[in-house]
Amino acid sequence: MTEHPDHDPAFDALRSLRADVPPLDDRTAGRIYAASLRRATPSPVTPVPGRITRRRLIRVAFVTAAVTALVAGTALVLRPAPVSADEVLTRAAAAAANAAGPAADSAYRYVEVLRINGPNTLRVQTWTSVDGTAPGRQTVTTTNGQSVATTIPAPTGESLATSSPKTLAALPTEPTALLDRLAADPDVRSDITNNGTAPDVAIWEEIRELAEIADGPTQSALFTAATHIDGLTVTENVVDAAGRTGTAVALTDPRLGEIQLIFTPDGAFLGERILSTSTDRPQFTSARLDSGYVTSL
Amino acid sequence: MSSIAVRSGYRQRWRRTPVAASIDPATDAAADQAFATLYRAHAPAIYRYFARRLGVQAAEDLTADTFAAALGAIARFDSDRGPELPWLYGIAANILSNHRRAEVRHLRALAAQGSETVDFGYEDDVLGRVTAAAQHRAVAAAVADLPAFDREALLLIAWDELSYAQAAQVLGCSVAHVRSRLHEARTALRRRVQATTKDQS
C-alpha cells in the first residue's frame, strides 16, 4: 500500500513521468529468463588433474618449442612488446590532432555511432548545431531497418556532455587546466558527491563520453589529459561494436566495471566498451563510425 | 507459510498471493521450479523498474542480471525475514547503483527535452515518443539533482508503489529514515514545480 497523505501536484507529476514504458511482453520475458539462467550457470568444470586434454597438449607443445628455440639461441618473440596506456593515448592524441577542427558557427557537427546495449543494436546519427543556437536532428535505425528521425533541441549546456560543439572546441588544451575543467563539470561533481565515485574514475568516464562527440583537436587534448590519470591499463585485441579490433585503454570502476576506450594500432579512436565487474561481459559497446561537420541539415 | 505482495500486470495496485512458500531449495528441481515461479510473479515489476529508470534496452539486460543474481542467492533467501519482492528490488537497486550516472543523464535529458528525445544510450525513447510537459521536465530536473539515496527512496514509492516499510527493506534502513528522506525529496520537487509554474505565469 502506498502512503500519499496529501494531494501534491508535483508528486502526481512525478508518478506519471515515464509511466508510459511498454510492459514486459512474453517474448522479451522469455529472452530475459533464458539470459538469467545462462548468466547464473557456473562455468564448465575444469579438467581433471592428470588428464591430458587437447589444451594441455597444445600448451606442452608450445612450451617445448619455446625451450628448444631458446636453447638453440634463437630470439623467440612470444608476443609483441607490451605498450603502456601512456603510449597508446599519446599515439591517439597525435592521430586525433590531425582531424578536422571547428567549423563555422552555423554548421552542424555530425556523429554516427553504432551501439550494442543488451540484445539491441542501433545506428544513431546525430547532427548538432555548432554554436548551439539551432535545433539538431537525430536518426535512429534499428537492426531490422526501422528508422526514426526526430528533431532534437539545441544543446542545453548544463554540462559538457550536453554542450555545443563550439563550447567543447573551446576547452583548454593544456592537460592540467583541462583536467580542472573536467573535474568542475556538474556530471563529474554529481558522480563524486552523489554516487561516491572516485575522482579519477569520474573524470575518465567524462573523457569517455566526450571522446565520442568531440572533434579531432578536442579529442587530442582529452587523450593527452588522460595520460595524467593513474591506474590505466591496456588490453590488446578488443573488438568494438562494429567488429573492429583494437587496443583498449581502461580504468576500472569497482561498481560499474572496466571502462575501455578502443584505438586502432595507428591511434584512431574506434569506440568504447564497459565490461561488467562481475562477469567480464561487455554490458555496453559502441563504435564511432563517422564524424565531421556539415554546412546545413 | 509466508505471503508476498505480487504486482498484477501493470495495474496500479498490489495484491497478496502466497508464492514464496514454494521456495524450497532442498532439491535442484524444487529450486528450479521456485525460480520459475519467482520469475513469473516478479519479472514484470523488475523490468518496469529498470525500464522507467534507464530505458527498455537496458531494462532487458539488467533484469536478466537481477534474476541471475537472485538464482544464485535463492538458497540463502529467508522468507521469514520478509517477502521476496523487496528482496528482488534490493538486488535490482544494487545493480542500478552501478548505473547512477546514466540514470541522472536520462533524467536530465527528460528535464531538458521532455520525452520527445533522450540522451545518448537511451534512444529507445525516440521510438516511443510521448507528450512532453513542463511539470514533467521540472520534476525530472529535481529528481536528477537529488542525492542517490533520496532519489531511490522517492522513486521506489512514486514509481514502484512500494510502501514505506517495503522501501525501507529495499534500502536497508528504518521506516523513519525513509519517511524523513522522502519528505526532503518531495519538498525539493514541490519547489522546482512551483518555480516552473511561476516562470510560466
Side-chain angles (χ1 to χ4, degrees):
Chain A
M1 189 174 117
T2 310
E3 294 124 89
H4 304 303
D6 49 3
H7 174 65
D8 181 347
F11 193 71
D12 291 344
L14 174 63
R15 282 200 296 167
S16 60
L17 179 67
R18 297 280 292 150
D20 60 315
V21 292
L24 178 61
D25 58 82
D26 289 346
R27 199 170 162 185
T28 310
R31 264 200 319 264
I32 296 174
Y33 186 72
S36 305
L37 295 177
R38 205 169 46 243
R39 291 176 196 181
T41 303
S43 27
V45 179
T46 48
V48 178
R51 186 175 157 206
I52 299 176
T53 62
R54 181 183 170 82
R55 188 183 228 179
R56 208 162 169 183
L57 279 172
I58 292 169
R59 196 163 56 221
V60 169
F62 186 75
V63 170
T64 307
V67 170
T68 307
L70 283 172
V71 169
T74 308
L76 183 68
V77 180
L78 297 176
R79 60 180 67 173
V83 290
S84 69
D86 273 12
E87 286 172 293
V88 177
L89 288 169
T90 304
R91 199 183 302 151
N98 296 324
D105 285 0
S106 59
Y108 289 83
R109 172 102 182 115
Y110 174 70
V111 178
E112 180 180 343
V113 294
L114 197 66
R115 296 186 196 290
I116 301 176
N117 195 345
N120 303 296
T121 301
L122 298 174
R123 186 165 69 101
V124 183
Q125 298 163 276
T126 308
W127 292 261
T128 311
S129 157
V130 165
D131 64 0
T133 58
R137 198 171 72 195
Q138 189 172 73
T139 301
V140 180
T141 307
T142 60
T143 32
N144 62 12
Q146 185 192 1
S147 186
V148 176
T150 185
T151 299
I152 56 173
T156 59
E158 282 187 336
S159 65
L160 287 174
T162 56
S163 290
S164 67
K166 189 177 180 180
T167 303
L168 293 185
L171 283 172
T173 52
E174 196 280 314
T176 313
L178 179 54
L179 288 171
D180 286 346
R181 176 67 186 83
L182 296 177
D185 186 70
D187 284 348
V188 176
R189 286 210 318 270
S190 163
D191 233 10
I192 296 168
T193 15
N194 292 337
N195 300 334
T197 306
D200 273 2
V201 173
I203 289 175
W204 176 249
E205 174 83 344
E206 181 80 356
I207 289 172
R208 176 186 74 81
E209 290 191 11
L210 298 181
E212 187 170 277
I213 55 174
D215 63 14
T218 310
Q219 269 191 341
S220 178
L222 288 167
F223 297 151
T224 304
T227 61
H228 292 244
I229 295 175
D230 289 334
L232 293 172
T233 57
V234 173
T235 308
E236 300 286 358
N237 299 318
V238 170
V239 180
D240 75 358
R244 303 171 299 189
T245 302
T247 301
V249 178
L251 190 64
T252 298
D253 180 338
R255 297 178 312 171
L256 185 61
E258 192 172 307
I259 303 166
Q260 299 179 332
L261 293 184
I262 310 168
F263 303 96
T264 67
D266 296 334
F269 174 67
L270 290 178
E272 53 184 278
R273 294 199 317 175
I274 300 178
L275 299 184
S276 163
T277 310
S278 51
T279 63
D280 260 3
R281 181 172 46 83
Q283 51 178 301
F284 180 78
T285 308
S286 82
R288 191 163 93 167
L289 301 179
D290 197 7
S291 67
Y293 288 97
V294 295
T295 51
S296 61
L297 285 180
Chain B
M1 176 180 288
S2 64
S3 64
I4 57 163
V6 176
R7 191 161 198 170
S8 173
Y10 291 96
R11 283 181 228 163
Q12 303 298 302
R13 66 186 176 82
W14 296 83
R15 65 188 169 86
R16 315 225 7 124
T17 307
V19 172
S22 64
I23 294 182
D24 174 11
T27 66
D28 284 351
D32 289 350
Q33 181 57 41
F35 178 69
T37 307
L38 183 81
Y39 182 81
R40 271 196 302 274
H42 302 307
I46 299 299
Y47 175 82
R48 185 175 168 81
Y49 168 85
F50 286 120
R52 223 163 161 181
R53 302 291 188 91
L54 294 171
V56 294
Q57 290 161 40
E60 186 166 336
D61 201 33
L62 299 181
T63 304
D65 281 347
T66 301
F67 279 94
L71 182 56
I74 204 164
R76 296 194 300 275
F77 174 71
D78 179 4
S79 60
D80 292 340
R81 291 181 59 193
E84 61 209 14
L85 187 60
W87 175 67
L88 282 172
Y89 268 115
I91 296 172
N94 194 36
I95 288 171
L96 182 74
S97 71
N98 295 329
H99 300 268
R100 289 288 181 223
R101 190 179 181 129
E103 185 189 16
V104 169
R105 184 164 298 274
H106 193 41
L107 285 163
R108 286 208 180 122
L110 289 173
Q113 308 162 358
S115 301
E116 288 292 330
T117 57
V118 291
D119 200 3
F120 296 120
Y122 302 100
E123 294 83 1
D124 53 292
D125 277 18
V126 176
L127 303 172
R129 282 173 279 175
V130 294
T131 308
Q135 274 197 340
H136 279 165
R137 288 197 286 272
V139 293
V143 174
D145 288 345
L146 289 174
F149 184 92
D150 294 9
R151 182 168 58 247
E152 190 62 37
L154 178 68
L155 294 184
L156 281 172
I157 285 169
W159 284 1
D160 300 292
E161 300 192 318
L162 299 194
S163 67
Y164 287 0
Q166 288 171 323
Q169 195 181 338
V170 173
L171 297 167
C173 64
S174 69
V175 173
H177 190 57
V178 167
R179 198 179 292 278
S180 134
R181 298 322 308 160
L182 199 68
H183 174 75
E184 292 293 322
R186 289 180 66 164
T187 304
L189 223 61
R190 269 196 297 272
R191 282 197 193 118
R192 186 69 73 103
V193 170
Q194 280 163 3
T196 306
T197 312
K198 207 176 284 177
D199 286 348
Q200 284 180 334
S201 61

